[in-house]
Amino acid sequence: MAKRLDAKDLNIYYGKFQAVAEVTLAVPPRNVTAFIGPSGCGKSTVLRTLNRMHEVTPGARVEGEVLLDGEDIYAGGVDPVDVRRTIGMVFQRPNPFPTMSIKDNVIAGLRLAGVRDKSRLDEVAERALRGANLWNEVSDRLNKPGGSLSGGQQQRLCIARAIAVQPAVLLMDEPCSALDPISTLAIEDLIAELKKEYTIVIVTHNMQQAARVSDQTAFFNLAGVGQPGKLIEIDDTEKIFSNPGQQATEDYISGRFG
Amino acid sequence: MSMKDEVVSRPAGQERETGSMMGGMGEQEQERGERPKRVGDRVFRYLTTTSGLVIVVAIVLIGFFLLIKAVPSLLADSTNFLTDWRFDTTGGKLAFGIRDMLVVTVLSSLLALVLAMPISLGIALFLTQYAPRSLARGFGYLVDLLAAVPSVVFGLWGVLVLGPAIEPVQRALNAGLGWFPLFSDGNVSLAGGGNIFTAGVVLAVMLLPIITSVTREVFRQTPVNQIEGALALGATKWEMVRTTVLPFGKSGFIAASMLGLGRALGETIAVLMILHTATSPSGFSFFDGGSTFASKIASAASEFSEPLPTGAFIAAGLVLFLLTFVVNAIARSIAKPKKEKA
Ligand SMILES: Nc1ncnc2c1ncn2[C@@H]1O[C@H](COP(=O)(O)OP(=O)(O)OP(=O)(O)O)[C@@H](O)[C@H]1O
Ligand SMILES: [Mg+2]
């Protein structure tokens, strides 16, 4: 059920401002792709076009194609709601629904998809929470509000919520940036685990993290303030970190940036 | 009290620390450097506490004053204050009860609330979630403008336009649902619509801007990351509203409605203009006439030269005060848990 994702000639705008230009990249299934690059270069923007979250921002629009197993998610007649059900997303700041219980948070996506069968929901909730390495910590308080967990637990709850619907692709925007090192490691382990079943794209500012968890790495950069961000190169993570094809990538990775 | 304790105890605590912690000079200096700020804090706290106290004292004094004025009249009342429907203070002999004023006040306000709540909720949702931005601004401005219309204009509108216009509706309701007490024959004629029903509808229109503007602001504050979380899960617009905006804004909406209810309970001139005088007791019907506490008191202002009749109206005013107070307390208790969570 993991699918491949191909972005072709993406030009992404916020109103009149072009934030990203000419991005073409391929994300193979059952694979972790990391997006790295300086702040403001458009990593989040590209990520959000991959599940049609970009257009939620007023005035935002996208040119180009994003193919999910060959089918353009931006084709006319495609409902963004369906796209988002197939391509899950985890945000930088954990955002469980505060008024819902832990369990209701996990099964929120299934409820939206119309699943009502109680035993099925219970089963999925447990599987997703186990999948997110959270089950042992919360199994005795599934009816407590989602906001009652620690930040790291909340983020894993959000991951459980995203994988409960078994998405074809999972997008993560700096999922560990609000977390302590231990929770970060827990989530990195989880990503290694999830890779067996899901296609994953992760934005990160942490080079070591990119090197640890990803199979391929995309480096984005921007020429200057007000200029659109561009994809400089995308290649196997090992190659990017040992012998990148572009000088800019090497400078960024070795900290000789700016 | 506790403030005084702190003022006294803090310097003492500091001295002890100075004695024991020889090495902590940097810290000491830093603390001393902060002192002027703390004095400012203390002054500010005294000022705010004092102004808070002034309000409490004022309310207590007003209540006390009203009570003193009301008691002699209540003692002179020749009928039951709570259960008699007549409010007769003329001709030297007091015979006044609040039954019908209470009925008319509560019925008209509740009807207004029942009509205004769903409409306000709809407008607030439309303005914050569905309307294109340009439209939302103009439309929102229009709703706010509604709050600026003087209530005497609403009264005129009720008497001249709305009353006659909804008279057929009232007749139909009365004919079809007359078996139900709320729609049974009233104690005034349906002609012209000078009854609780019309008053309730007019009050509802007056409540719309109040409930809408507060609700709109609360909805607008729904955290973006919640909204995006729901959308990223594949929620439709309405599902997103249901899972994030509504739970987030629910208590604010209810508090806004209670605020509106308080307004409806105390509305005077529009109701006074609309309601026809009743000559028999209310049968708890929307088609009754009569008066609310506020409209009764306002209409009797000319009698206030005599202390005993005046006291009778003051007693009625106290009941209204109590009613509003209870409504506010309820609104507060509903609105509070939200604040603690946020
Ligand atoms: N909602 C928005 N409206 C207008 N411009 C935006 C918006 N969001 C982002 N931008 C602009 O788009 C560009 C790319 O932003 P983006 O958030 O994608 O960067 P990023 O690479 O994710 O940065 P960071 O690493 O700091 O998260 C920036 O110039 C930013 O100012
Ligand atoms: Mg970002």
Side-chain angles (χ1 to χ4, degrees):
Chain A
M1 95 209 60
K3 293 184 176 174
R4 68 175 289 117
L5 207 54
D6 292 275
K8 290 195 175 148
D9 298 322
L10 287 180
N11 286 295
I12 312 172
Y13 302 84
Y14 289 101
K16 287 201 181 67
F17 171 65
Q18 180 169 14
V20 173
E22 298 301 328
V23 167
T24 298
L25 54 80
V27 178
R30 293 195 176 77
N31 183 296
V32 178
T33 301
F35 286 2
I36 60 169
S39 188
C41 68
K43 305 178 296 292
S44 302
T45 304
V46 171
L47 195 75
R48 288 163 62 91
T49 54
L50 298 182
N51 68 340
R52 295 195 64 170
M53 279 300 287
H54 178 65
E55 64 209 56
V56 168
T57 309
R61 70 198 163 82
V62 179
E63 287 168 5
E65 287 181 338
V66 175
L67 307 178
L68 181 65
D69 265 3
E71 298 201 33
D72 187 4
I73 63 170
Y74 281 94
V78 175
D79 186 348
V81 168
D82 293 332
V83 172
R84 294 179 200 135
R85 279 188 187 158
T86 338
I87 305 181
M89 187 161 213
V90 175
F91 294 82
Q92 181 169 353
R93 282 186 39 221
N95 58 352
F97 302 124
T99 51
M100 285 188 196
S101 69
I102 291 172
K103 186 173 134 198
D104 286 340
N105 261 286
V106 179
I107 58 181
L110 285 180
R111 283 242 172 88
L112 291 174
V115 179
R116 291 281 171 273
D117 179 6
K118 214 182 148 309
S119 61
R120 165 102 200 278
L121 290 172
D122 285 348
E123 189 188 308
V124 171
E126 175 168 350
R127 193 179 40 189
L129 283 169
R130 283 189 192 282
N133 279 333
L134 191 59
W135 177 255
N136 292 336
E137 288 154 75
V138 302
S139 59
D140 57 338
R141 46 172 170 159
L142 291 176
N143 293 319
K144 292 269 163 57
S148 67
L149 297 173
S150 77
Q153 290 172 328
Q154 286 187 23
Q155 191 63 306
R156 276 179 285 152
L157 177 61
C158 291
I159 294 177
R161 184 173 72 181
I163 61 177
V165 293
Q166 301 198 291
V169 179
L170 189 58
L171 309 175
M172 303 176 137
D173 193 349
E174 302 187 43
C176 304
S177 65
L179 306 184
D180 69 293
I182 305 250
S183 310
T184 299
L185 279 182
I187 288 185
E188 286 182 9
D189 289 345
L190 178 58
I191 291 172
E193 198 63 32
L194 292 174
K195 187 171 84 167
K196 293 174 191 156
E197 274 182 81
Y198 300 96
T199 307
I200 296 173
V201 182
I202 178 173
V203 174
T204 177
H205 272 288
N206 181 332
M207 281 331 140
Q208 287 84 12
Q209 182 170 68
R212 279 194 300 260
V213 303
S214 72
D215 301 302
Q216 63 168 355
T217 298
F219 172 61
F220 292 83
N221 203 353
L222 77 177
V225 179
Q227 305 271 33
K230 287 188 171 158
L231 175 63
I232 303 301
E233 65 176 311
I234 176 166
D235 213 328
D236 287 347
T237 298
E238 243 169 73
K239 178 141 189 304
I240 292 277
F241 281 94
S242 59
N243 184 21
Q246 301 287 326
Q247 187 62 39
T249 315
E250 177 151 16
D251 289 350
Y252 183 72
I253 286 166
S254 57
R256 267 180 281 133
F257 185 73
Chain B
M1 221 197 72
S2 69
M3 236 183 307
K4 232 183 215 161
D5 288 347
E6 249 180 76
V7 170
V8 176
S9 72
R10 196 171 284 156
Q14 250 172 18
E15 253 153 50
R16 215 180 307 131
E17 261 175 37
T18 320
S20 63
M21 291 176 40
M22 299 295 277
M25 278 314 279
E27 223 176 281
Q28 290 296 323
E29 244 149 52
Q30 216 176 9
E31 260 196 285
R32 224 164 267 152
E34 270 172 26
R35 276 204 78 162
K37 205 159 128 203
R38 286 220 214 102
V39 171
D41 270 357
R42 230 173 284 155
V43 169
F44 188 67
R45 209 157 65 190
Y46 277 128
L47 280 177
T48 48
T49 312
T50 313
S51 33
L53 277 177
V54 166
I55 291 192
V56 173
V57 169
I59 289 182
V60 169
L61 282 182
I62 291 172
F64 198 62
F65 164 81
L66 292 176
L67 211 57
I68 287 178
K69 293 273 182 185
V71 167
S73 307
L74 284 171
L75 290 176
D77 193 359
S78 63
T79 179
N80 189 316
F81 176 66
L82 293 175
T83 58
D84 202 295
W85 68 277
R86 284 161 308 164
F87 203 95
D88 191 0
T89 54
T90 49
K93 191 167 169 286
L94 294 181
F96 60 95
I98 55 162
R99 174 184 178 274
D100 276 18
M101 284 194 289
L102 188 63
V103 171
V104 174
T105 306
V106 170
L107 274 188
S108 60
S109 301
L110 284 184
L111 177 63
L113 199 65
V114 165
L115 294 175
M117 274 178 77
I119 299 176
S120 302
L121 183 66
I123 297 177
L125 278 179
F126 174 72
L127 288 177
T128 56
Q129 308 298 325
Y130 292 93
R133 264 204 240 164
S134 50
L135 184 67
R137 189 168 308 157
F139 196 78
Y141 185 66
L142 214 70
V143 173
D144 289 342
L145 210 64
L146 208 55
V149 175
S151 49
V152 66
V153 175
F154 277 114
L156 281 173
W157 175 67
V159 171
L160 300 177
V161 182
L162 186 79
I166 62 172
E167 191 192 315
V169 179
Q170 300 187 359
R171 285 190 189 281
L173 281 173
N174 182 228
L177 298 171
W179 51 269
F180 190 62
L182 285 178
F183 297 106
S184 58
D185 292 336
N187 58 11
V188 294
S189 154
L190 277 175
N195 51 35
I196 295 174
F197 194 93
T198 309
V201 176
V202 171
L203 284 174
V205 178
M206 298 172 76
L207 298 195
L208 280 184
I210 300 173
I211 305 180
T212 304
S213 61
V214 176
T215 309
R216 187 177 55 186
E217 287 320 306
V218 178
F219 283 174
R220 199 165 274 159
Q221 281 162 18
T222 313
V224 177
N225 68 353
Q226 296 289 318
I227 293 175
E228 294 200 328
L231 290 176
L233 269 185
T236 60
K237 186 95 184 196
W238 165 239
E239 287 165 339
M240 178 277 283
V241 167
R242 227 179 40 200
T243 48
T244 61
V245 177
L246 289 182
F248 180 83
K250 192 175 79 188
S251 58
F253 169 60
I254 293 175
S257 304
M258 292 295 138
L259 199 72
L261 181 58
R263 172 76 205 278
L265 290 171
E267 172 52 36
T268 305
I269 194 70
V271 178
L272 175 64
M273 291 165 78
I274 292 165
L275 288 181
H276 290 173
T277 314
T279 50
S280 57
S282 156
F284 302 99
S285 163
F286 282 139
F287 306 126
D288 285 335
S291 43
T292 64
F293 287 109
S295 72
K296 185 77 186 179
I297 295 169
S299 69
S302 59
E303 291 179 43
F304 290 172
S305 46
E306 296 283 325
L308 275 184
T310 309
F313 288 102
I314 287 177
L318 269 172
V319 178
L320 175 60
F321 180 66
L322 215 67
L323 196 63
T324 330
F325 189 78
V326 168
V327 166
N328 268 316
I330 294 174
R332 228 158 259 270
S333 70
I334 293 172
K336 201 166 154 198
K338 174 42 148 293
K339 286 245 175 71
E340 280 167 2
K341 239 182 268 163

